[in-house]
Amino acid sequence: MKLLLSGHEDRYAVEQLQLALFPLEPMEPAEAPFSEDGAVSTLHRGNTWLSAITTIRFHGKQTRAVRRLKAQEETVQMRRRILQQSYYFAALPHLPAAPAWGALSGVRPTKITTKHLLEGGTVKSAQKLMKDVYFVSPARRDLCIAASQATVEAASLLDSKDISVYIGIPFCPTRCAYCSFVSASIGGAGKLLEPFLQTLLMEIEGVGQMLESSGRHIRTLYIGGGTPTTLSAQQLNRLMQAVNAHFDLSRCLEYTVEAGRPDTLDQEKLDVIYKNGARRVSINPQTMDDTVLRRCGRRHTAAQIPSAFQMARQAGFREINMDLIAGLPGDSYEGFKASLEAVAAMGPENITVHTLAIKKGADLYGHTEGLPSACEVGRMVEFSNAYLHSLGYVPYYLYRQKYMSGSFENVGWCKPGSQCLYNIYMMEEVHSILALGGGAMSKVNLPNGRLERFPNPKFPQQYIERGPALLKEKAQLFARMEQFDADPSL
């Protein structure tokens, strides 16, 4: 679906909304007038008014919408707002129903409500903002504000020297069809596991020294991937012992290991994880339907999931998260409902409900056969929201993704008091995230809401080859943090 801009260059604001409202239509920027399906976003500057006009032609039907702003009130934010609003109203007649997230296009809608609350706004005024400016549905307004309230509470636990640490293990037993993360299948990259671990241990030791000299405190620690439990019990023990030896965890509020796939778990591994200090794990079925699991490329069975859950309880874990995905190939509303009910019956402290997002790096990209319709995915999502509420779970974080079925969201639900702080800090960018390992992305929070990103190499082989250079790059990251500590105006 083409997109032509006229009179402005705010491409990102309009393009992201088009992707959100027409997720199955490939985006194609246009440089000149066209006759095919697409949108023309125009900004007209008059003496008194700034007018945003959008014309959309789609499947033989043409629509037009205008939003205006007094010229003297123009700011970047207000200009982009009317551009998106005009696009939204022009798009509405082409959509089967008003989108749940209205004219919002970003992956972090809670940033709007969190900022509003932190600046002294109330729940009532946040509701009005999301309703009157962004046209968000009542249910999504409630989700968004609840997650923002959890963010405000989590942020109150931090001081200026606090950070979170993420350690990435980019290996999995097999690659899931929907996965777009950088992760190596153990079948083809198993020989890299040990040299990868050796490099990671070196990075942990060096970064530990930098942390100590910087005076920064680790508030949450998360070992993710990939699937960290692709490592053997002995390798996990070496990794976690290195963490304990080189990182001061005396102020750490939360330590999580993404145990992930049941086919990588046994009692020995879970005992190692608990013995070394982690108190949270994720055991992620994604679905409890064996046919759907096979179509997704996951080689475990649904029967292995309760067994893995019980082993985690036996190891001592009282904070367990379980992930499900709405919209998997071959799934149905009835199948998703049964999966959620089966997972909830186990009593995990957290249940995260994702909506399938088909990204370019995934095997599913370009292959939509057997996917549930957006309408059916909507039924899955609405059921999960109502059902989890009825069981006493509350939403504590949410985010959206591009190419997401039905343009819905991913929501983390928890029993009250059991929210995963790392998820909040990472997704809401509340403070700096120091990331080690393969495919890891450090994010340094700067004054005025700015971020600087420091990526580690994506692929295991590149990570291993980078070796000692990793510590030079981390030293630059710490120097950057110290620079802004000394002079926040920079």
Side-chain angles (χ1 to χ4, degrees), residues 244-258:
N244 289 332
H246 299 295
F247 291 170
D248 178 3
L249 301 181
S250 61
R251 295 194 61 199
C252 185
L253 297 169
E254 177 184 278
Y255 188 170
T256 304
V257 174
E258 184 86 19

Side-chain angles (χ1 to χ4, degrees), residues 30-52:
E31 301 299 329
F34 53 86
S35 57
E36 302 96 321
D37 282 357
V40 179
S41 172
T42 301
L43 187 70
H44 175 73
R45 294 181 181 278
N47 292 330
T48 305
W49 295 100
L50 193 67
S51 301

Side-chain angles (χ1 to χ4, degrees), residues 111 429 431-432 443-447 449-453:
K111 285 231 168 180
E429 296 168 343
H431 70 168
S432 295
K443 297 193 289 187
V444 176
N445 279 35
L446 303 176
R450 293 174 294 155
L451 280 177
E452 281 194 14
R453 291 174 169 83

Side-chain angles (χ1 to χ4, degrees), residues 18-223:
Q18 180 163 303
L19 285 169
L21 299 182
F22 298 96
L24 299 181
E25 300 297 324
M27 169 64 65
E28 185 179 348
E31 301 299 329
F34 53 86
S35 57
E36 302 96 321
D37 282 357
V40 179
S41 172
T42 301
L43 187 70
H44 175 73
R45 294 181 181 278
N47 292 330
T48 305
W49 295 100
L50 193 67
S51 301
I53 307 128
T54 301
T55 303
I56 297 178
R57 184 186 301 110
F58 190 64
H59 293 177
K61 181 178 180 179
Q62 183 166 304
T63 55
R64 183 176 183 270
V66 180
R67 301 292 283 189
R68 297 197 303 172
L69 171 72
K70 286 187 176 180
Q72 63 187 23
E73 296 175 357
E74 180 184 358
T75 64
V76 172
Q77 180 185 24
M78 295 300 293
R79 182 179 70 244
R80 291 174 178 171
R81 180 179 292 179
I82 63 170
L83 286 167
Q84 288 190 316
Q85 288 177 341
S86 71
Y87 190 102
Y88 172 76
F89 283 108
L92 269 181
H94 301 284
L95 305 177
W101 285 104
L104 279 176
S105 61
V107 299
R108 297 179 178 87
T110 47
K111 285 231 168 180
I112 296 169
T113 45
T114 298
K115 182 175 184 290
H116 184 79
L117 294 176
L118 287 172
E119 292 176 347
T122 65
V123 168
K124 183 176 180 180
S125 61
Q127 284 274 1
K128 180 174 174 58
L129 172 68
M130 297 299 274
K131 173 179 179 288
D132 295 345
V133 175
Y134 299 103
F135 320 111
V136 176
S137 72
R140 293 315 182 281
R141 297 199 299 265
D142 290 343
L143 276 178
C144 196
I145 293 168
S148 287
Q149 289 175 298
T151 299
V152 171
E153 181 181 347
S156 71
L157 303 175
L158 302 173
D159 67 33
S160 62
K161 284 284 191 177
D162 287 342
I163 63 168
S164 288
V165 172
Y166 174 84
I167 299 175
I169 312 295
F171 295 91
C172 282
T174 58
R175 185 173 178 81
C176 298
Y178 52 78
C179 182
S180 62
F181 290 108
V182 176
S183 182
S185 168
I186 198 65
K191 64 181 182 296
L192 297 177
L193 258 178
E194 184 58 33
F196 172 87
L197 180 58
Q198 291 287 349
T199 306
L200 178 57
L201 296 180
M202 177 271 299
E203 189 180 19
I204 288 171
E205 181 177 0
V207 168
Q209 294 170 1
M210 296 177 202
L211 277 168
E212 183 177 7
S213 62
S214 74
R216 297 183 186 278
H217 316 118
I218 297 174
R219 293 300 261 171
T220 70
L221 174 62
Y222 194 103
I223 301 178

